[in-house]
Amino acid sequence: MTATWSQIKKWAPEALHDAAEELRSIEDKLIDLGDDLVKVEPTHWTGTAADGAKKELTAIGEVLEDRMTEVAAVRRGLLTAHDAVTGIQSLVADIIDFAASNELSIDAEGTVTDVKEPEGGAGIVVDKTYIPPERDPHNLELAAEERQRLVDKCVTMIEAVLRRAGYLDQELTHVLNNGVLSGELARMDAPDLETAAQDGDNWRKPDVYPPPEGKGTPDLNSAYWNSLSPSEKLKVILGHPEWINNRDGIAADARDAANRVLLPRYLAEWERKLRDAEAEQLRIVTEHADAGLSGYPSQELSDAYSRYQEARDKVDSLKMAEKLIDRDGVSMDGKAVEKDDKQLLALDLSQERAQVAIATGDVDVAENVAVFTPGLSSNAKTIDGYDTDMKNLRERSAALLVKNGDALTQEAALDNVATVVWLGYQSPQTTPDSLFNLTGDSVASAKSASDGGKNLAEFYSGITASRDDDVNLTALGHSYGSTTTGYALQQNDTGVDRVGFFGSPGISVDDLGKLDVPSHSSFYAEADGDAVGDFATFGKDPTKIDGMTHINTDAAKLANGEGLSGISGHTSYLKDGSTNQYNLANLVIGEPNALITGWSGPPLGEVLRGF
């Protein structure tokens, strides 16, 4: 019979532990009985009666060994169940707290109801600005969608508990029915009691509870992870890191730990593939050295070179990731490095080019999280420049928190900011194929942005799903990455609070109401001399979209006398100490009212286009 929500709430892991301890004492008694059998075994007694006694004692010993095997198997099953129920009860407590804090009701069968009173004519506060609902129906629509998302998340969490409980019930039933009642454990014929105990403990030992099939949804993945006990989580990280390293909704520290387990394995594997590819090319060239051009196997060599290029790219990407996540002041090769508090949140080698996501700061606890998506020519093997940009943006954001009185020290402020470079898609490269082939990963095609946008939306949702609190989440996108960001924000339930586009060839929509962000929360920067921003390749020129707030990129001076440098062209939007960096930092900490907006004059491209 399947357990119900009300029954599971009453499960007590202590009872399972106590039962396991009782069985432990029975094992000790069986050992004592085995010792007694040795003592009474006839040594100087011979004859028919003695032989009969020895036979009976042997039979009793076999019975003791059979019982020992069964008791050990059941005891191990109970301990495994105790560990699992500990994780289940932790998730149950989270669900009850989640429902209470969000004004949701859960009945005995696990049905979730939204019991929050309608807000009626109340407005919505967006980034500390009051927006009357009659003036902004988009925000009311988002608020309604958010209420439904909370209900759906609570339902998903309860379903995860029921699924976990069902799996546990099957595992324990398997031990009792297939092991004890079927007689399978008794037929193992251990030679002694110690071996019998080991056989029982190792009999069909279950693996740790697996994650949902496929990628799973962020909410489902989060519920799965939270249903595991601490020891089960450790078993997954060490024994099955590939289950969670790229799974959106899993806690950032766990994904980071799993990727740190996998990285040296992947590096060894791809270094071997690189050596094999180099050897294959050499073999082909050597074997056909005298063949001449007409007899040269050009296709075979071309295929071999493609395999070499892929292996070279993967090795370089993995080495770059290894370099960037060095922490604690000592690198993997023993050299002193600067401590940066990195988290490796994604490490996907399933595509032509490696896909990674690297955070600076703790995404699990920082109140303010920004996810930056770069564009054309960005790749995992050259991600270090963007990583430095995000480190600098984090430090500027933290400094603003101190300036605003939201943190006492820079160190404390840094704990409240995390920035992520997200390269979880196949961004177009500056290769002839990418520039001129309009299919596949071409900069002239929206396919990479559309495909990548789906992945990015799940990454956003995964951050919010993995946390118990309401994180202040900012999306940032540059160039083709802004197009990818636009596609991502057309998905529902991203949890993004505001978005900053810069140097964009188009954000994939002409109406900001199609984006899953509150009204008055979309911002755009276009520097003088940035022709890319005038292309309007993927939708209307962002400077002409109604409701878009324009960010100034010119040189400026703050009230405290600090000077900010201006930028120009397409590649300097993240320049340290620039006006644009200052503006983006204000977005990151949720202070759009502090932005330096507008521009001293429209960029030249806009003038030529008749702005």
Side-chain angles (χ1 to χ4, degrees):
M1 182 180 71
T2 304
T4 65
W5 167 251
S6 59
Q7 290 171 334
I8 294 171
K9 285 198 300 180
K10 299 175 183 177
W11 283 6
E14 298 81 9
L16 293 167
H17 183 270
D18 292 344
E21 287 301 304
E22 285 292 326
L23 292 180
R24 167 73 76 182
S25 66
I26 292 176
E27 288 184 22
D28 293 338
K29 291 176 181 177
L30 290 173
I31 293 290
D32 292 339
L33 288 173
D35 293 340
D36 291 342
L37 283 180
V38 173
K39 293 176 183 177
V40 301
E41 183 177 350
T43 54
H44 302 293
W45 183 20
T46 60
T48 303
D51 291 342
K54 289 180 180 179
K55 185 176 181 180
E56 284 297 319
L57 290 172
T58 299
I60 293 172
E62 290 175 350
V63 171
L64 292 179
E65 289 158 3
D66 292 344
R67 297 295 83 77
M68 176 65 84
T69 304
E70 293 170 346
V71 169
V74 174
R75 183 181 64 82
R76 187 258 299 148
L78 289 174
L79 289 175
T80 300
H82 165 266
D83 205 18
V85 171
T86 299
I88 290 173
Q89 290 305 100
S90 176
L91 180 54
V92 166
D94 290 344
I95 293 171
I96 293 172
D97 289 344
F98 180 84
S101 62
N102 289 289
E103 299 182 61
L104 305 176
S105 172
I106 307 173
D107 68 15
E109 298 303 313
T111 302
V112 181
T113 305
D114 187 355
V115 295
K116 183 177 181 180
E117 291 292 332
E119 295 187 6
I124 296 175
V125 175
V126 178
D127 289 325
K128 302 181 180 181
T129 301
Y130 178 76
I131 307 295
E134 65 275 9
R135 288 173 47 197
D136 219 323
H138 177 60
N139 283 349
L140 282 181
E141 181 182 350
L142 289 180
E145 291 176 356
E146 173 63 12
R147 292 305 301 171
Q148 186 58 50
R149 190 193 74 79
L150 293 172
V151 171
D152 292 343
K153 179 173 182 176
C154 194
V155 169
T156 298
M157 295 167 75
I158 292 173
E159 289 175 346
V161 164
L162 297 175
R163 187 181 303 108
R164 180 74 170 102
Y167 181 88
L168 170 60
D169 184 63
Q170 290 177 359
E171 289 293 314
L172 197 52
T173 300
H174 173 73
V175 174
L176 296 175
N177 289 347
N178 295 21
V180 179
L181 298 181
S182 71
E184 182 176 337
L185 285 165
R187 292 191 293 269
M188 296 187 73
D189 296 328
D192 52 58
L193 287 171
E194 182 179 349
T195 304
Q198 294 173 353
D199 288 346
D201 189 62
N202 293 322
W203 180 78
R204 298 190 183 182
K205 183 174 287 186
D207 202 348
V208 66
Y209 180 55
E213 293 184 0
K215 294 197 306 182
T217 66
D219 281 343
L220 187 58
N221 293 334
S222 174
Y224 156 75
W225 188 246
N226 291 332
S227 76
L228 301 182
S229 68
S231 63
E232 288 176 318
K233 290 177 179 178
L234 184 60
K235 288 177 183 177
V236 170
I237 290 171
L238 297 180
H240 301 282
E242 71 284 353
W243 284 0
I244 64 167
N245 70 309
N246 296 321
R247 191 174 283 268
D248 295 314
I250 302 296
D253 63 344
R255 291 178 68 163
D256 175 56
N259 278 313
R260 288 172 185 271
V261 172
L262 287 169
L263 196 153
R265 299 181 190 175
Y266 286 164
L267 185 55
E269 174 188 354
W270 281 98
E271 284 181 331
R272 176 184 58 77
K273 290 182 178 181
L274 179 60
R275 291 192 297 270
D276 291 346
E278 290 171 337
E280 183 181 14
Q281 291 183 95
L282 180 60
R283 176 190 62 76
I284 294 172
V285 171
T286 302
E287 288 180 357
H288 298 84
D290 301 325
L293 291 178
S294 60
Y296 210 76
S298 57
Q299 186 60 52
E300 183 181 4
L301 185 59
S302 176
D303 292 343
Y305 182 65
S306 294
R307 287 189 287 274
Y308 165 80
Q309 282 186 309
E310 180 183 11
R312 178 79 272 168
D313 178 89
K314 297 290 172 60
V315 168
D316 290 345
S317 298
L318 289 166
K319 286 185 175 180
M320 176 58 70
E322 182 182 63
K323 170 187 173 182
L324 293 179
I325 66 170
D326 286 335
R327 58 167 55 182
D328 298 328
V330 179
S331 68
M332 291 184 178
D333 59 5
K335 297 179 180 178
V337 296
E338 183 179 358
K339 182 177 178 181
D340 266 343
D341 297 325
K342 299 295 185 186
Q343 289 179 323
L344 183 57
L345 302 182
L347 186 61
D348 182 2
L349 304 182
S350 64
Q351 304 300 312
E352 178 184 354
R353 294 183 300 281
Q355 299 181 169
V356 301
I358 299 178
T360 303
D362 192 339
V363 173
D364 286 329
V365 301
E367 295 179 9
N368 308 284
V369 176
V371 179
F372 166 61
T373 304
L376 175 66
S377 79
S378 56
N379 57 70
K381 62 186 179 182
T382 59
I383 198 175
D384 51 335
Y386 288 126
D387 181 74
T388 299
D389 290 335
M390 287 301 101
K391 173 189 172 185
N392 293 338
L393 179 61
R394 179 188 180 222
E395 291 176 350
R396 167 62 83 167
S397 302
L400 289 178
L401 287 176
V402 176
K403 175 187 173 184
N404 296 344
D406 296 321
L408 293 178
T409 65
Q410 179 75 359
E411 184 177 0
L414 285 171
D415 290 338
N416 279 328
V417 182
T419 51
V420 184
V421 182
W422 184 86
L423 256 178
Y425 79 119
Q426 295 292 287
S427 59
Q429 303 296 293
T430 51
T431 62
D433 185 61
S434 174
L435 294 174
F436 303 111
N437 181 1
L438 299 186
T439 63
D441 300 329
S442 168
V443 71
S445 165
K447 184 178 186 305
S448 291
S450 177
D451 293 345
K454 296 181 179 68
N455 295 340
L456 180 55
E458 291 185 348
F459 186 79
Y460 293 146
S461 298
I463 292 175
T464 57
S466 67
R467 296 183 51 153
D468 297 329
D469 56 349
D470 184 16
V471 59
N472 176 43
L473 183 58
T474 301
L476 302 174
H478 172 239
S479 190
Y480 194 88
S482 71
T483 310
T484 304
T485 302
Y487 274 108
L489 294 178
Q490 292 181 59
Q491 309 296 315
N492 293 328
D493 304 331
T494 62
V496 171
D497 295 290
R498 69 197 61 80
V499 56
F501 304 104
F502 36 104
S504 177
I507 63 172
S508 78
V509 298
D510 298 338
D511 178 5
L512 294 181
K514 296 179 180 179
L515 300 184
D516 186 40
V517 293
S519 297
H520 313 290
S521 298
S522 298
F523 304 85
Y524 181 62
E526 183 177 318
D528 190 25
D530 184 0
V532 172
D534 301 327
F535 288 162
T537 307
F538 306 109
K540 183 185 291 187
D541 183 334
T543 61
K544 301 180 183 301
I545 296 178
D546 291 340
M548 184 77 79
T549 301
H550 298 272
I551 301 176
N552 195 301
T553 61
D554 296 336
K557 181 172 288 188
L558 299 177
N560 64 0
E562 179 186 357
L564 302 173
S565 62
I567 59 171
S568 61
H570 185 62
T571 60
S572 57
Y573 286 96
L574 296 170
K575 180 182 177 183
D576 198 22
S578 66
T579 300
N580 198 60
Q581 185 201 53
Y582 169 83
N583 282 329
L584 295 179
N586 275 297
L587 290 184
V588 171
I589 64 171
E591 293 289 348
N593 293 332
L595 295 176
I596 302 173
T597 57
W599 47 44
S600 56
L604 178 60
E606 302 296 347
V607 175
L608 296 177
R609 288 165 57 90
F611 184 85

